[in-house]
Amino acid sequence: MWGVLFLGWDAFYIVLLYWTENIVVGFYNVLKMALAPMPHPAAHLGKLFLIPFFIVHYGGFTAVHGFFVMALFHDGGQGPPMGKMNWPCFLVFVQMLFNVIKYMYSVIPRQVRLAVLALFVSHGVSFVQNYLLKREYAAAKPEKLMGSPYGRIVVMHIAILAGGFLTMAIGSPAPLLAVLVALKTILDVSLHNRSHKKAKA
């Protein structure tokens, strides 16, 4: 918020960075689900349904939010070009996500690409340190992991609705950023403490 208000940063790229973290969280959540232990080998077959379902469902929500973030707040006011949406059945949502990511990568400057990379590294360090080395995976259950990232989706949804009207009224995405910063900081601290306390217990 300081950078946007006093240093001339473009609020759109910061909002887009918040959206990108949803992708990062979803990516590592798939790894967590894949590595979660099961009571017997045959139970791993359930992951063949849970993981693709999560990718399609969570990916679909993330794609739609990314589309609206860029359609509402990027210069020109146009959403990402979707091209041909020809993947079969529900996989079209995954194709939409790939198209949004591809377009996002093409419009962000080098500094924001480095910030995206930093998000992947940061969450990757946490994944290795906490989930693997501290054996949080021992208490993990794929069905619970599947629902854990959706709080972030709700935050993005509320921010788009609440901040979007203010943004259109004053012509700046700063209100959306303010809503995101407030909600996401509260959510991140709460979820971080809760998840690691449960795993430690």
Side-chain angles (χ1 to χ4, degrees):
M1 284 303 299
W2 180 271
V4 169
L5 294 177
F6 302 109
L7 302 179
W9 293 5
D10 191 330
F12 165 72
Y13 295 124
I14 310 300
V15 172
L16 201 59
L17 195 62
Y18 274 88
W19 172 78
T20 303
E21 190 175 22
N22 289 334
I23 299 174
V24 176
V25 169
F27 172 79
Y28 284 108
N29 198 57
V30 169
L31 295 183
K32 289 180 179 180
M33 292 172 68
L35 296 175
M38 303 301 289
H40 49 83
H44 285 280
L45 294 175
K47 295 179 183 179
L48 297 178
F49 168 78
L50 289 178
I51 293 176
F53 179 83
F54 172 79
I55 292 173
V56 170
H57 194 267
Y58 183 84
F61 272 106
T62 305
V64 171
H65 285 152
F67 181 88
F68 278 108
V69 164
M70 281 181 269
L72 292 173
F73 311 117
H74 189 228
D75 291 339
Q78 294 182 350
M82 291 291 100
K84 291 184 177 180
M85 303 289 287
N86 53 9
W87 287 18
C89 198
F90 297 112
L91 290 179
V92 71
F93 293 112
V94 180
Q95 184 181 20
M96 182 181 181
L97 179 61
F98 284 148
N99 289 339
V100 173
I101 293 172
K102 182 179 178 181
Y103 180 77
M104 182 259 323
Y105 186 81
S106 71
V107 301
I108 61 176
R110 178 176 175 271
Q111 297 93 324
V112 182
R113 292 177 184 176
L114 292 175
V116 172
L117 176 62
L119 282 176
F120 269 98
V121 172
S122 171
H123 282 270
V125 169
S126 176
F127 171 75
V128 172
Q129 180 179 354
N130 294 301
Y131 193 76
L132 298 180
L133 297 182
K134 292 186 178 180
R135 295 176 55 84
E136 288 184 357
Y137 64 84
K141 297 185 182 302
E143 60 274 13
K144 291 186 177 180
L145 286 171
M146 187 173 68
S148 61
Y150 280 90
R152 297 173 179 273
I153 293 292
V154 172
V155 166
M156 180 64 72
H157 191 75
I158 293 174
I160 289 175
L161 291 176
F165 291 111
L166 291 173
T167 295
M168 288 185 285
I170 68 175
S172 168
L176 172 60
L177 180 61
V179 175
L180 272 176
V181 168
L183 292 178
K184 187 175 177 302
T185 300
I186 295 170
L187 180 75
D188 274 355
V189 172
S190 174
L191 291 181
H192 178 83
N193 291 335
R194 188 189 310 168
S195 64
H196 294 313
K197 282 180 180 178
K198 283 184 178 179
K200 187 175 180 180

